[in-house]
Amino acid sequence: MARYVALLRAVNIGGASSMAMAELKEVFVSCGFDRVATYIQSGNVVFGCPETDEAAILAEIGRAVTHRWGRDVPVLLRSLAELDAMIAANPYLAVQTDQTKLLVTMLSSDPGADKQAALASPPGETGTLTLLGRDVFVHVPDGYGRSKLGNAFVEKKTGVVGTTRNWRSVLKLREMAAAA
């Protein structure tokens, strides 16, 4: 059974986007997924599934989430193998040891290598972005809270839906997916 991480975009940032993780776990269990676990209050779900067709898995999750909460929520999916490749590919690991200054914006689809130029940092920004396939690696030496390189910036420049996780969360999700 393949292991996956589902990442729900804009969950639990307050107001109408709030979802209890215990309920989200129940939704995934109701889909027939195996060994379901959530990580922190931001829409991270680790699970097993015999299905390997990403579109089919995302459709099932989308239907279940819409049925439970009555609204569409963008969901992104990464397999354990994709998480391993993402971790190995991070171009900023050699220059930044502080994990709070490293993030990844995971995109729903590959926007194409030509979008790398669009991800140039705006004037005054010390952070940098690198697009590799469906992942945008973010290095913010002055911290993410002070950066202009947030999720909205990446989505606008690539034209693709994405969701951002800090490096510590990426590593924890990979650990959870591998252990279960």
Side-chain angles (χ1 to χ4, degrees):
M1 184 160 312
R3 298 293 295 161
Y4 295 95
V5 174
L7 305 126
L8 284 71
R9 182 180 174 279
V11 169
N12 287 336
I13 57 172
S17 66
S18 185
M19 290 180 180
M21 292 300 101
E23 290 178 50
L24 185 58
K25 180 179 178 178
E26 289 173 11
V27 166
F28 274 68
V29 169
S30 75
C31 290
F33 299 137
D34 185 44
R35 295 175 290 159
V36 177
T38 60
Y39 175 64
I40 63 174
Q41 286 292 125
S42 60
N44 302 301
V45 185
V46 177
F47 64 99
C49 177
E51 178 66 64
T52 58
D53 178 5
E54 182 174 325
I57 297 168
L58 286 170
E60 179 64 26
I61 294 168
R63 279 190 297 274
V65 168
T66 300
H67 181 263
R68 170 60 187 88
W69 282 280
R71 58 189 165 90
D72 291 329
V73 176
V75 180
L76 291 88
L77 193 67
R78 294 295 187 269
S79 68
L80 176 57
E82 288 173 314
L83 285 173
D84 285 339
M86 175 193 303
I87 291 166
N90 190 330
Y92 302 116
L93 292 176
V95 297
Q96 183 59 257
T97 58
D98 183 349
Q99 292 181 355
T100 65
K101 303 193 184 219
L102 299 173
L103 302 100
V104 179
T105 300
M106 290 165 260
L107 302 173
S108 59
S109 63
D110 184 339
D114 61 315
K115 294 293 184 179
Q116 181 63 51
L119 291 171
S121 297
E125 174 61 56
T126 61
T128 56
L129 300 163
T130 300
L131 171 65
L132 296 173
R134 296 191 307 165
D135 300 314
V136 177
F137 295 90
V138 184
H139 176 224
V140 285
D142 293 334
Y144 191 62
R146 296 182 180 157
S147 176
K148 298 173 186 171
L149 305 179
N151 202 81
F153 177 87
V154 172
E155 286 183 328
K156 180 179 178 183
K157 297 297 184 176
T158 62
V160 178
V161 172
T163 188
T164 303
R165 297 299 187 271
N166 66 49
W167 195 244
R168 186 171 292 138
S169 291
V170 169
L171 295 176
K172 181 62 176 179
L173 290 167
R174 190 266 170 219
E175 175 187 316
M176 291 172 65

